[in-house]
Amino acid sequence: MEPVNLDESFASFDETWAPRIAAELNDYAVKVAKLDGEFVWHAHDETDELFLVRDGRLRIEFRDRDDAVLGSGDLLVVPRGVEHRPVALEPTEVLLVEPTETLNTGDAEKSDLTHGDPERLS
């Protein structure tokens, strides 16, 4: 049981759209990620996904409902199976809470943005 310093966690990497695991609980991971620009359309058929914006602005686009715009301190849960696309409106830092094995690109075709085994920071 060691505290996780989020400032240190975010300072430890520069790569965008490549989540790192900052902590784990039960079968879930608290992932930290830096975002910039558009990601890919995808869904997670088996799990919900929680986005918590630490710094910056994030729009989460949906095909079948209004987009959500999140600022620092805002969080949103995207329900399982809902197709979405995160778009960082400026460089943005987020916390993600989801099962540890969740693929960041979900059901989208694998690409350079796909990170199936995130680095553990602690």
Side-chain angles (χ1 to χ4, degrees):
M1 291 190 319
E2 292 294 322
V4 173
N5 183 287
L6 291 176
D7 290 334
E8 292 174 6
S9 294
F10 280 103
S12 71
F13 66 97
D14 292 317
E15 187 179 6
T16 59
W17 302 109
R20 281 18 183 218
I21 296 175
E24 293 180 272
L25 62 152
N26 299 317
D27 296 330
Y28 280 76
V30 178
K31 299 176 183 177
V32 294
K34 293 181 178 181
L35 315 180
D36 195 14
E38 297 179 350
F39 199 53
V40 296
W41 282 101
H42 67 283
H44 302 281
D45 292 333
E46 303 299 322
T47 187
D48 300 338
E49 183 176 29
L50 182 144
F51 290 84
L52 173 83
V53 175
R54 174 181 140 97
D55 187 43
R57 286 179 17 100
L58 179 66
R59 181 176 65 236
I60 301 181
E61 299 177 347
F62 300 100
R63 294 203 192 269
D64 62 351
R65 61 192 81 190
D66 291 339
D67 298 345
V69 177
L70 309 175
S72 298
D74 292 335
L75 71 81
L76 177 75
V77 174
V78 177
R80 75 186 68 209
V82 173
E83 193 174 19
H84 60 286
R85 178 173 73 161
V87 178
L89 302 173
E90 59 190 55
T92 299
E93 295 178 347
V94 299
L95 292 161
L96 304 164
V97 179
E98 58 195 7
T100 302
E101 74 281 351
T102 301
L103 192 62
N104 67 327
T105 52
D107 63 354
E109 186 174 317
K110 289 190 168 73
S111 72
D112 292 342
L113 295 173
T114 303
H115 294 277
D117 189 19
E119 176 184 340
R120 285 168 170 73
L121 296 177
S122 50

